[in-house]
């Protein structure tokens, strides 16, 4: 697991699994933990990393309801979870789904956890809207398309955008069950303005990016999705993301894009 400081108030931890990112955000005496690393030893280490940086984590945030972003509670069991209304709705409509998928992942990879994942009573945040942290405010922006739910978090004083599962340097755009191609493209349009103001962009999977690289990935992703809409299976994949696994995801996108 890698930890990098993007700003005195922003530390990003990247998991060894899927390069899933977790962003620690501080203002004054309080800090939030946005999304989560995947592996148990990483989650166990996370409180020490926060403490070492003098981040006192008082709350958890999640960009969307995919299970690999919801594990913060293993690191900070007492911190309440704040999520978009769209994410709360998804958790309500799919009760136990995140826990089931986590269990299936753990079983197939021989991973043991200290206990089952608890997600008691998350707090719903206004999206679009603001969320107070210390004396400052985070900006929350809708980010659906990858899934039916989602929010991107803009940290104005650090000029960092944590966007969830968009703008990944390692993964092509993924349209999951419930996601949609047109919503994905609309989210890219929304993110483009924020990327234009950003110093750093933290994708849900992959290393943090500078704004130039993030803008280039955004253009590639838009070109890929436009081609997917026009050409279906024949759409060319972004040049640096053409591995077997990305081709498999592309195959699933072709099916998902038809809905
Ligand atoms: Zn993800």
């Amino acid at each position: 697991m890698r930890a990098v400081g993007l700003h005195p108030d922003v530390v990003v931890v990247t998991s060894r699994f899927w390069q899933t990112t977790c962003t620690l955000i501080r203002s004054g005496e309080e800090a939030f933990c946005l999304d989560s690393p995947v592996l148990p030893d990483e989650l166990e280490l996370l409180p020490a990393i926060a403490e070492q940086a003098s981040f006192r984590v008082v709350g958890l945030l999640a960009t969307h309801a995919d299970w690999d972003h919801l594990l913060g509670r293993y690191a900070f069991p007492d911190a309440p979870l704040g999520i978009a209304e769209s994410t709360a709705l998804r958790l309500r409509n799919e009760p136990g789904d995140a826990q089931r998928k986590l269990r299936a992942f753990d079983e197939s990879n021989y991973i043991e956890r200290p206990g089952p994942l608890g997600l008691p009573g998350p707090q719903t945040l206004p999206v679009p809207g603001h969320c107070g942290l210390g004396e400052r405010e985070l900006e929350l922006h809708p980010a659906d398309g990858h899934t039916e739910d989602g929010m991107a978090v803009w940290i104005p004083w650090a000029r960092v955008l944590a966007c969830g599962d968009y703008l990944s340097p390692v993964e092509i755009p993924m349209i999951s069950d419930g996601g949609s191609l047109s919503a994905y493209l609309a989210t890219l349009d929304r993110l483009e303005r924020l990327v234009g103001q950003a110093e750093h962009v933290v994708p849900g999977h992959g290393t943090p990016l500078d704004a130039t690289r993030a803008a280039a990935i955004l253009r590639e992703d838009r070109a890929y999705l436009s081609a997917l809409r026009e050409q279906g299976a024949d759409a060319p994949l972004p040049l640096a993301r053409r591995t077997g696994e990305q081709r498999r995801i592309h195959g699933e996108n072709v099916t998902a894009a038809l809905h």
Side-chain angles (χ1 to χ4, degrees):
M1 178 169 69
R2 268 183 324 225
V4 341
L6 299 183
H7 176 276
D9 288 333
V10 182
V11 172
V12 176
V13 161
T14 308
S15 175
R16 303 196 304 282
F17 210 95
W18 289 330
Q19 297 193 35
T20 308
T21 61
C22 166
T23 307
L24 301 171
I25 311 161
R26 174 178 64 182
S27 167
E29 297 300 304
E30 297 186 336
F32 284 159
C33 169
L34 170 64
D35 290 350
S36 59
V38 173
L39 301 174
D41 62 312
E42 298 172 333
L43 289 157
E44 209 181 297
L45 205 61
L46 200 53
I49 290 173
E51 204 180 322
Q52 217 164 51
S54 303
F55 283 38
R56 194 173 67 86
V57 173
V58 298
L60 305 170
L61 301 174
T63 53
H64 61 298
D66 284 355
W67 69 266
D68 53 319
H69 301 263
L70 290 176
L71 307 179
R73 210 166 256 283
Y74 281 114
F76 306 104
D78 301 323
L81 171 67
I83 48 178
E85 173 65 42
S86 59
T87 296
L89 197 66
R90 199 178 138 202
L91 287 175
R92 274 202 302 278
N93 289 343
E94 306 170 344
D97 190 60
Q99 285 89 344
R100 261 192 306 280
K101 286 182 174 147
L102 171 64
R103 215 157 45 231
F105 170 85
D106 286 348
E107 278 177 18
S108 63
N109 292 290
Y110 308 158
I111 287 171
E112 288 170 6
R113 309 259 168 201
L117 171 65
L119 293 170
Q123 289 176 22
T124 300
L125 304 171
V127 181
H130 294 86
C131 170
L133 172 62
E135 315 90 72
R136 305 198 202 244
E137 285 197 320
L138 300 170
E139 258 178 56
L140 310 176
H141 297 269
D144 53 323
H146 161 58
T147 53
E148 66 201 78
D149 65 315
M151 68 173 177
V153 177
W154 171 246
I155 311 162
W157 67 97
R159 291 171 56 214
V160 171
L161 173 66
C163 55
D165 283 2
Y166 300 88
L167 309 182
S168 170
V170 292
E171 191 171 83
I172 63 168
M174 187 194 285
I175 302 165
S176 308
D177 262 356
S180 99
L181 199 158
S182 55
Y184 202 118
L185 282 166
T187 288
L188 289 183
D189 288 347
R190 250 177 272 122
L191 294 178
E192 192 167 38
R193 189 182 59 79
L194 296 165
V195 169
Q197 303 170 49
E199 191 77 43
H200 298 280
V201 174
V202 185
H205 300 270
T207 188
L209 308 163
D210 64 37
T212 310
R213 176 114 192 269
I217 290 170
L218 194 149
R219 284 192 297 273
E220 285 180 1
D221 287 356
R222 183 185 278 143
Y224 163 70
L225 291 168
S226 306
L228 179 65
R229 191 166 52 192
E230 308 296 321
Q231 301 163 243
D234 294 334
L237 269 56
L239 261 180
R241 289 173 280 169
R242 288 186 177 171
T243 58
E245 177 62 7
Q246 299 313 301
R247 288 181 198 283
R248 186 191 65 75
I249 294 170
H250 172 58
E252 290 185 355
N253 284 344
V254 172
T255 315
L258 298 174
H259 296 302

